Amino acid sequence: MSTTTDPQGGTFRLSMLMNDSRYRSLTLQAIAAILLAISIGYIISNLLANLAEQDLNISFGFLATPAGYDINQTLIEYTSQSSNTRAAFVGIINTLLVAILACITATVLGVIAGVLRLSNNWLVRKLMSFYVEIFRNIPVLIWIIIIFTIVTAVMPSAKSYLGEDPERGMLGGIIAFTNRGVYVPAPFFTNGFGGEEGSIANWLLVIVVLFGSLFATRAMTARANKIQEDTGIRPGTLWTNLAIWLVPVAVVLFILGLSWDFPDPLANRFNLRGGLQIGAPLIALWLALSVYTGAFIAENVRAGIQAVSKGQTEAASALGLRPRRTMSLVILPQALRVIIPPLISQYLNITKNSSLAIAVGYADITATLGGITLNQTGRAIECVLLLMLFYLTISLLISAVMNVYNSSMKLKER
Amino acid sequence: MSDTHAHSVAFVRTETLPQAAAPSNAAGPTKWMRDNLFATPANGLLTIAAIYLIYLVLASTLPWMLNGVWNAGSLAECREILQGTSGACFAVLTERWPQLMFGFKYPASEYWRPTLAFVLMFVALAPVLFFDLPRKLLIVTALFPFVAFWLIWGGTVWTPIFALLGVIVGYLVYDRFVAQSFAAGFFGGIAAAIVVWTISGYIVPALAPEQPWLEAVPSRDMGGYMLNMMLGITCVSLSIPLGIILALGRQSSMPLIKWICVIFIEFIRGVPLITLLFVASVMLAYFFPPDQTVDLFLRVVIMITMFSAAYIAEVIRGGLAALPKGQYEAADSLGLDYAQAMRLIILPQALKISIPGIVNIAVGLFKDTTLVSVISMFDIIGMIRGPILASQDWNGLYWELFLFACLVFFVVCYGISQYSQWLERRLATDHR
Amino acid sequence: MNKSVIFGALTIAGLAAGAAAAGTLDDVKARGKLNCGVTTGLAGFAAPDATGEWKGIDAAFCRAVAAAVLGDATAVEFVPTTGKTRFTALASGEIDVLARNTTWTLSRDVDLKFDFLGVNYYDGQGFMVPKALGVSSAKDLDGATVCVQTGTTTELNLADFFRANNISYEPVPIETNAEGAQQYLAGACDSYTTDASGLASTRATFENPGDHTLLPEIISKEPLGPLVRHGDNEWGDVVRWTLNALISAEELGVTSANVGEMSTGSTNPEIKRLLGTEGTLGEMLGLDADWAKRAIATQGNYGEIFARNIGEDTPVGLARGLNAQWTDGGLLYSPPFR
């Protein structure tokens, strides 16, 4: 900082360790290193002493032993005889599932609410700011519990859908909203390859085909643009693109033999059987995270749009752009630069808040590894460490994405 | 000539007419409604949809709320009074009010103590929140933690007095040496305070009377909304200094210190609060010496403080980064050393910029204090989901209790965020 | 500013704790309070009443230990614990004894390093269903949704039971008994499973207990008892023999009402030894001679505690069943006081 005032050369005195800026930073770092080492050593020695006193040890052997408990909502095969590791994986997948679902709906909700907050309709504007304030200022845990209570206490009981002559019919005969979850028809393949286990591969095939269509339509659009630039006449792409999207997928689905598994009110006396069950805890968590985070995203969106100066809109109008094109070509690209970084950190918050699943009994990673496995094995230290490691990995991945995005944005700016 | 003509001709008006009101569709409520509610057909549809939505919500809740019962001993009694009509049973709030506020174990005869501390809190916070108030009031703020500690926990009055003494001695030492070097003053002050506290650790038990003026209440007995308040206020006030240190550390040119801070901040920000609370409830006990136990409240305070400090550090880092580089250079050119530059030039400006962000973190943190209900602490949510809903009298009641919880959080959080916006406006005018 | 308070308190607390001796018995005596881990609320076993006072047989047992050790039955600090926090709370020394209807299993005894000191309630896992469901056996529950408390042995028993009978179910994990009751009443699950005593106690809190029935199957053995940390045998002995004293007292006909006259007037040598008028049993435990007398005088014998908290005249309404004295065909059998 002030190197010029330091004496040059000269003999070394002990006081220079503190007073000479050449050595001071080294001294301070050495002190910090020693303090850090002492405190870590203190903690570890306490830990070891505590463990020794109780005759315990740190071991991850429990991960391989059978978990012994059942989980109600699993995307991968799991029985009570599966290992604790598999239970943890079930939890990881469930965490990711609810996080991704909530990210999508929160974004949609947030964008709608954010745009409507700037609407010139007074009532809608007020209604939206009411939504934002209500949800931002009440803890997400309360929202999760409230929505869970709504789902379990207000929705009709599963029983009322059961039997030959049920009290209430399913929506369109195929969808049932019960207090244990929503039952919807589940698609499956009758001619799929790979038997039972191959169903994921079948779906992957469908996704690959969809990606192929995506690239094909992009190529079509690029070609259309080129023709337009060369000749001034834009060839119609709507029908070809639609065909590219629909036909291959339809063909693949037909070959695989797509068919639907409907919820059956007769198979069981307690619950609907068949179809896809979206459990009440998942719904509660999903909805609560969506509306809660949606309120924050709405604020980000509003701030992002307002950050684009009014001159931009005026300039665009002066150039003769129509309002819609002004929005899509001028305002949004600039607003997105402001919106996306906080948006990504909201996604991070959703992932972290999904750990509140424990309050409604949704089997996410906190409930399996950090909950039941921890309780049953008593391996508190190991389980909590693994749990933190998982969340840390997810966060670092999302931060990495954010950094890449930020730096790419920066390049465009300068 | 023309004059007479003008006077004589009947159809020529000589005086101006009084101004007529604007046409009804260009002024007043009609215009307002046309501009704001029915500007375009689509807009009109939106308005009608919104009105319908509001009607639906009000139609289902208003009768229920207005018909509420405020006096009953149990849900069954409530239902008897309502006789089948729809109505809320707010009686649970009146009957369980002390439990919702103070938890179920805080001695009923001592409720005045936390209430008094709560009132004093406003006096203490006022000079911090509103700069216009006389600065002398800050003395109240400085004394408040000790008074509040004594009021809420009770026990011998010597504990807070010696704690305060430690702070005073530390400050005197700091004041004495800070002229020579900030580091000497700062660390000397801390060392002096620790010496006083250590000595008082031996003196206080000896001085403690058998029957203290205020009955001692262990922190395990705290509960209800009071617990949320206590956790929120303690953790926020503790995490601001820690956050400043972490932010400065992260900006530091010394790689080791920088990396310690970066790892700490990123680690804490990377995991959900609930895992940190698990650490507090099941792991932290292993990190203290074997023959000592630290009570759960303190362990939770440690973890939440670390949590919010990491977030506050990032906000302050933003504030530091937002300062023009010229400020740093100006400080250097005046010959100020690091501590002086930070204390006199950089931090006052950076903190000012960061205040809205810090307030946001504080609101978030206050909301997050509800998470302690997951680790079997009886905060307001824990009280509702545990003892109250489990009791025979009130089993099966949800909305009244949850609405109440929503209300108490909304009032505080909305109040703070309104304050933050007011502050933002004020600070903005200061800058321009 | 608050920092200093916490620091000051921490320093002071730290010094106070550091000065204490290593043995739990001495710790408790020095502290003058017994830290006793209980459930967060299960009527009849341990639950705070409207005034915040803990009631139930586990709470009474804690008070009996406090009366025996400290001479003051009110010198108990009740620490509510969940299924998740209970073992850490005990292992870390936050509580001195855990009386939270905890099942005695080999792995808890051996792997988690705790000492179970006896059984204060012989239980077994059962199922509760609404009568309207028309289910008469747990084996009819194929496909049902079952609420189960997480972190307990019931969760594992449940998985084993359904697997053994090759029928399916959907578990709904819940954290506390209160939540379980709410979920069950709201119809989010068809059946609620936990220890049969817990079911009876929960059912007692319902608005219409008669609408719900307990299924006949008891799918597990659940010996519930107090436990302490492994390795501190002196303390373990004190807690174990307090429990035995309560059980013996019932067998010998010593009640809270007659304990005073029994101690002087009784000619039965075992009663005399139990109540400390003869022999040095209390001294051997590191307590005074009146330890058991105080425990019985304040809390009553096992039978009185049972009758007061969960007996047939209470809302919980449990029969003695397995928990009768061995002389009445039950399993309660205290080793002799000699």
Side-chain angles (χ1 to χ4, degrees):
Chain A
M1 216 179 274
S2 45
T3 27
T4 47
T5 60
D6 284 329
Q8 301 294 316
T11 51
F12 178 79
R13 295 183 312 278
L14 207 57
S15 64
M16 280 164 70
L17 280 180
M18 206 58 214
N19 295 335
D20 189 323
S21 66
R22 282 171 297 175
Y23 304 113
R24 184 164 50 201
S25 83
L26 283 180
T27 321
L28 287 179
Q29 289 189 63
I31 293 174
I34 292 169
L35 283 180
L36 184 71
I38 289 177
S39 37
I40 290 180
Y42 178 70
I43 286 174
I44 290 183
S45 78
N46 279 337
L47 176 66
L48 293 180
N50 276 310
L51 291 177
E53 184 170 287
Q54 288 154 38
D55 215 0
L56 293 171
N57 56 350
I58 301 266
S59 124
F60 288 90
F62 69 95
L63 285 174
T65 57
Y69 56 90
D70 285 301
I71 297 177
N72 50 11
Q73 182 135 24
T74 63
L75 290 179
I76 57 175
E77 200 173 311
Y78 173 86
T79 69
S80 60
Q81 293 308 298
S82 307
S83 67
N84 278 314
T85 316
R86 198 160 179 89
F89 270 111
V90 170
I92 289 177
I93 291 173
N94 280 343
T95 295
L96 296 179
L97 173 73
V98 73
I100 290 170
L101 287 175
C103 283
I104 294 169
T105 42
T107 313
V108 172
L109 254 179
V111 169
I112 293 175
V115 171
L116 285 185
R117 267 198 93 172
L118 297 172
S119 147
N120 46 16
N121 187 323
W122 177 85
L123 192 64
V124 171
R125 215 160 56 218
K126 287 293 161 200
L127 212 56
M128 284 303 136
S129 51
F130 182 72
Y131 157 72
V132 168
E133 293 300 345
I134 281 283
F135 278 88
R136 264 159 42 109
N137 287 312
I138 292 172
V140 64
L141 181 63
I142 298 188
W143 285 122
I144 293 176
I145 298 172
I146 287 183
I147 295 182
F148 186 60
T149 312
I150 293 179
V151 174
T152 54
V154 177
M155 296 258 245
S157 80
K159 299 262 159 5
S160 57
Y161 288 95
L162 298 180
E164 291 282 353
D165 184 24
E167 277 172 51
R168 54 179 80 231
M170 289 188 257
L171 186 68
I174 50 172
I175 300 177
F177 293 92
T178 78
N179 60 351
R180 291 177 191 166
V182 175
Y183 294 77
V184 294
F188 70 101
F189 300 113
T190 46
N191 296 336
F193 51 86
E196 285 272 309
E197 291 85 37
S199 68
I200 291 180
N202 291 325
W203 283 111
L204 277 180
L205 181 69
V206 174
I207 291 171
V208 166
V209 170
L210 281 176
F211 264 101
S213 302
L214 177 69
F215 285 117
T217 48
R218 283 198 154 188
M220 285 298 292
T221 315
R223 185 173 149 268
N225 284 344
K226 193 167 182 317
I227 292 176
Q228 186 181 20
E229 272 172 28
D230 291 348
T231 64
I233 303 159
R234 188 179 178 84
T237 52
L238 179 67
W239 292 109
T240 45
N241 275 353
L242 215 57
I244 292 174
W245 272 115
L246 292 181
V247 174
V249 171
V251 169
V252 168
L253 289 180
F254 180 76
I255 292 174
L256 290 175
L258 178 76
S259 129
W260 296 88
D261 180 18
F262 296 103
D264 179 3
L266 298 176
N268 187 274
R269 59 191 289 202
F270 300 107
N271 284 309
L272 290 163
R273 276 288 172 86
L276 191 66
Q277 187 198 349
I278 309 167
L282 172 60
I283 294 174
L285 193 62
W286 174 17
L287 283 185
L289 288 177
S290 304
V291 288
Y292 179 77
T293 319
F296 285 87
I297 293 179
E299 280 300 271
N300 294 338
V301 169
R302 182 181 68 111
I305 293 176
Q306 283 180 335
V308 180
S309 83
K310 196 139 179 74
Q312 298 285 333
T313 322
E314 286 161 1
S317 316
L319 286 176
L321 286 181
R322 292 177 158 277
R324 179 166 296 183
R325 305 213 91 195
T326 307
M327 196 48 148
S328 65
L329 294 176
V330 178
I331 309 292
L332 270 187
Q334 299 185 70
L336 275 184
R337 194 205 301 275
V338 184
I339 294 171
I340 285 190
L343 189 66
I344 293 179
S345 69
Q346 290 302 340
Y347 291 166
L348 195 56
N349 281 343
I350 287 184
T351 316
K352 287 193 280 179
N353 281 338
S354 71
S355 60
L356 292 175
I358 197 159
V360 289
Y362 176 67
D364 78 329
I365 177 89
T366 315
T368 57
L369 179 66
I372 309 179
T373 298
L374 187 157
N375 291 337
Q376 297 298 359
T377 61
R379 298 278 172 196
I381 299 178
E382 295 89 333
C383 286
V384 174
L385 280 181
L386 286 176
L387 190 63
M388 295 218 274
L389 190 69
F390 164 74
Y391 280 111
L392 207 55
T393 315
I394 296 279
S395 309
L396 290 181
L397 279 179
I398 296 181
S399 310
V401 170
M402 181 140 87
N403 286 341
V404 168
Y405 175 84
N406 279 347
S407 55
S408 72
M409 268 309 177
K410 231 175 198 166
L411 283 179
K412 281 179 198 159
E413 197 175 17
R414 299 276 142 87
Chain B
M1 190 66 207
S2 57
D3 282 347
T4 51
H5 179 76
H7 280 286
S8 60
V9 180
F11 55 82
V12 176
R13 206 191 295 281
T14 51
E15 63 281 349
T16 42
L17 278 175
Q19 262 186 3
S24 66
N25 62 353
T30 327
K31 175 180 158 54
W32 183 86
M33 271 173 55
R34 218 176 57 179
D35 286 358
N36 288 299
L37 298 179
F38 301 98
T40 61
N43 225 323
L45 276 181
L46 213 56
T47 307
I48 291 167
I51 290 175
Y52 183 63
L53 187 76
I54 295 172
Y55 167 76
L56 276 187
V57 172
L58 288 185
S60 57
T61 54
L62 263 191
W64 179 78
M65 282 173 87
L66 294 178
N67 203 12
V69 176
W70 288 91
N71 255 323
S74 71
L75 184 56
E77 241 174 78
C78 240
R79 290 196 175 135
E80 217 165 277
I81 296 173
L82 287 170
Q83 291 186 328
T85 55
S86 140
C89 186
F90 293 117
V92 66
L93 303 181
T94 46
E95 208 232 15
R96 297 292 174 123
W97 176 259
Q99 292 201 347
L100 286 167
M101 285 294 116
F102 305 105
F104 61 89
K105 279 163 82 188
Y106 205 89
S109 56
E110 312 290 324
Y111 284 154
W112 63 273
R113 281 158 46 181
T115 316
L116 179 62
F118 180 67
V119 173
L120 284 179
M121 181 189 78
F122 287 104
V123 183
L125 278 181
V128 180
L129 297 183
F130 304 102
F131 314 123
D132 307 332
L133 292 172
R135 296 290 83 193
K136 284 239 170 76
L137 275 176
L138 277 174
I139 295 175
V140 179
T141 313
L143 287 177
F144 173 72
F146 305 97
V147 177
F149 172 82
W150 186 53
L151 278 176
I152 292 174
W153 274 271
T156 167
V157 71
W158 294 109
T159 312
I161 287 182
F162 272 96
L164 178 62
L165 194 70
V167 174
I168 293 174
V169 170
Y171 178 75
L172 290 178
V173 171
Y174 165 81
D175 204 38
R176 166 79 179 72
F177 288 104
V178 74
Q180 298 169 15
S181 141
F182 177 77
F186 186 68
F187 292 109
I190 289 182
I194 288 178
V195 167
V196 173
W197 288 329
T198 315
I199 295 171
S200 63
Y202 292 98
I203 300 176
V204 168
L207 286 177
E210 280 294 304
Q211 285 296 325
W213 294 333
L214 296 183
E215 182 191 340
V217 182
S219 47
R220 195 177 290 123
D221 291 358
M222 320 271 161
Y225 196 49
M226 177 178 87
L227 185 66
N228 295 102
M229 285 289 225
M230 280 160 55
L231 283 173
I233 292 170
T234 320
C235 296
V236 168
S237 42
L238 285 179
S239 57
I240 288 175
L242 194 59
I244 294 175
I245 294 173
L246 282 172
L248 291 179
R250 196 171 179 165
Q251 297 285 68
S252 163
S253 56
M254 292 177 263
L256 183 74
I257 289 176
K258 179 176 176 174
W259 283 109
I260 293 174
C261 293
V262 168
I263 290 174
F264 179 86
I265 292 173
E266 291 304 324
F267 175 77
I268 297 282
R269 278 161 47 92
V271 298
L273 179 58
I274 194 122
T275 59
L276 293 178
L277 290 177
F278 283 171
V279 170
S281 72
V282 301
M283 248 172 93
L284 210 56
Y286 288 103
F287 294 154
F288 288 107
D291 49 356
Q292 290 183 12
T293 57
V294 176
D295 80 64
L296 184 61
F297 179 80
L298 192 55
R299 281 183 273 154
V300 166
V301 165
I302 293 174
M303 292 321 282
I304 299 187
T305 304
M306 282 165 63
F307 181 76
S308 64
Y311 281 85
I312 288 182
E314 284 300 275
V315 170
I316 295 177
R317 186 170 74 115
L320 289 172
L323 280 192
K325 203 152 170 52
Q327 296 291 331
Y328 292 85
E329 287 162 358
D332 278 354
S333 69
L334 285 174
L336 298 180
D337 67 15
Y338 179 78
Q340 287 168 326
M342 285 299 148
R343 206 156 42 95
L344 302 173
I345 310 276
I346 307 298
L347 277 183
Q349 300 183 67
L351 286 182
K352 208 175 193 180
I353 306 175
S354 327
I355 285 177
I358 293 178
V359 173
N360 275 345
I361 302 280
V363 171
L365 181 83
F366 180 61
K367 288 187 292 174
D368 281 346
T369 56
T370 50
L371 265 59
V372 297
S373 62
V374 176
I375 55 164
S376 78
M377 281 175 94
F378 290 100
D379 75 324
I380 188 166
I381 302 297
M383 283 307 298
I384 292 176
R385 296 188 87 193
I388 296 180
L389 282 185
S391 74
Q392 216 162 333
D393 295 343
W394 301 112
N395 199 334
L397 204 72
Y398 312 100
W399 305 119
E400 295 82 352
L401 290 164
F402 287 137
L403 267 183
F404 177 71
C406 286
L407 186 73
V408 289
F409 275 100
F410 183 80
V411 167
V412 172
C413 296
Y414 187 71
I416 302 177
S417 65
Q418 288 303 304
Y419 164 77
S420 154
Q421 283 176 15
W422 172 83
L423 194 66
E424 228 168 311
R425 283 196 297 274
R426 258 207 63 168
L427 293 180
T429 53
D430 282 355
H431 267 288
R432 304 248 154 98
Chain C
M1 270 309 180
N2 265 333
K3 191 176 175 181
S4 48
V5 176
I6 300 290
F7 250 111
L10 182 61
T11 327
I12 293 162
L15 285 167
T24 311
L25 181 57
D26 296 329
D27 274 355
V28 173
K29 282 181 177 167
R31 200 189 308 133
K33 278 244 172 189
L34 174 75
N35 291 335
C36 194
V38 290
T39 81
T40 49
L42 178 61
F45 284 83
D49 64 6
T51 59
E53 194 176 338
W54 287 86
K55 292 275 168 65
I57 64 168
D58 284 338
F61 176 70
C62 294
R63 291 210 173 88
V65 174
V69 176
L70 301 167
D72 178 5
T74 60
V76 186
E77 190 65 51
F78 288 98
V79 181
T81 56
T82 63
K84 179 191 254 96
T85 55
R86 56 179 162 181
F87 295 126
T88 341
L90 182 59
S92 66
E94 192 183 340
I95 54 180
D96 304 312
V97 55
L98 178 65
R100 187 201 181 274
N101 39 8
T102 303
T103 307
W104 187 352
T105 67
L106 184 138
S107 62
R108 284 175 179 171
D109 203 337
V110 178
D111 191 36
L112 295 184
K113 312 284 181 199
F114 293 122
D115 275 353
F116 282 84
L117 304 167
V119 177
N120 69 348
Y121 192 87
Y122 287 96
D123 213 334
Q125 183 175 348
F127 293 91
M128 174 163 59
V129 291
K131 275 196 179 135
L133 203 58
V135 172
S136 58
S137 156
K139 287 178 184 145
D140 296 342
L141 288 173
D142 188 13
T145 306
V146 182
C147 281
V148 56
Q149 263 195 67
T150 153
T152 58
T153 46
T154 49
E155 199 168 27
L156 307 182
N157 297 332
L158 183 68
D160 286 351
F161 174 77
F162 278 86
R163 219 168 82 85
N165 288 294
N166 202 19
I167 49 180
S168 66
Y169 73 107
E170 295 236 359
V172 174
I174 42 125
E175 282 278 312
T176 63
N177 191 55
E179 239 173 280
Q182 286 160 41
Q183 296 276 314
Y184 172 75
L185 286 179
C189 40
D190 298 304
S191 174
Y192 181 37
T193 181
T194 184
D195 297 340
S197 62
L199 289 178
S201 131
T202 309
R203 185 173 63 166
T205 65
F206 290 174
E207 207 181 349
N208 299 312
D211 293 351
H212 303 272
T213 179
L214 304 191
L215 296 180
E217 281 90 348
I218 296 294
I219 64 168
S220 68
K221 289 188 288 186
E222 307 279 342
L224 310 179
L227 56 156
V228 297
R229 279 180 295 280
H230 195 73
D232 191 349
N233 295 339
E234 209 177 70
W235 173 242
D237 288 342
V238 169
V239 181
R240 174 182 298 115
W241 284 96
T242 308
L243 177 61
N244 285 336
L246 297 178
I247 296 174
S248 277
E250 189 191 10
E251 187 185 342
L252 298 170
V254 182
T255 65
S256 55
N258 68 9
V259 64
E261 70 191 71
M262 279 281 201
S263 67
T264 51
S266 172
T267 51
N268 183 335
E270 179 148 20
I271 295 181
K272 284 187 155 179
R273 283 195 297 273
L274 173 68
L275 300 180
T277 40
E278 205 178 282
T280 54
L281 295 181
E283 204 178 303
M284 291 177 198
L285 286 168
L287 303 171
D288 58 4
D290 283 343
W291 64 283
K293 191 173 155 189
R294 280 194 306 267
I296 298 163
T298 54
Q299 303 304 313
N301 62 35
Y302 182 88
E304 288 176 80
I305 295 174
F306 191 103
R308 192 171 63 232
N309 293 302
I310 52 177
E312 276 164 337
D313 296 336
T314 63
V316 182
L318 291 170
R320 285 296 286 266
L322 289 177
N323 295 292
Q325 290 288 335
W326 64 283
T327 47
D328 302 334
L331 290 176
L332 290 187
Y333 185 98
S334 160
F337 276 73
R338 184 171 287 284

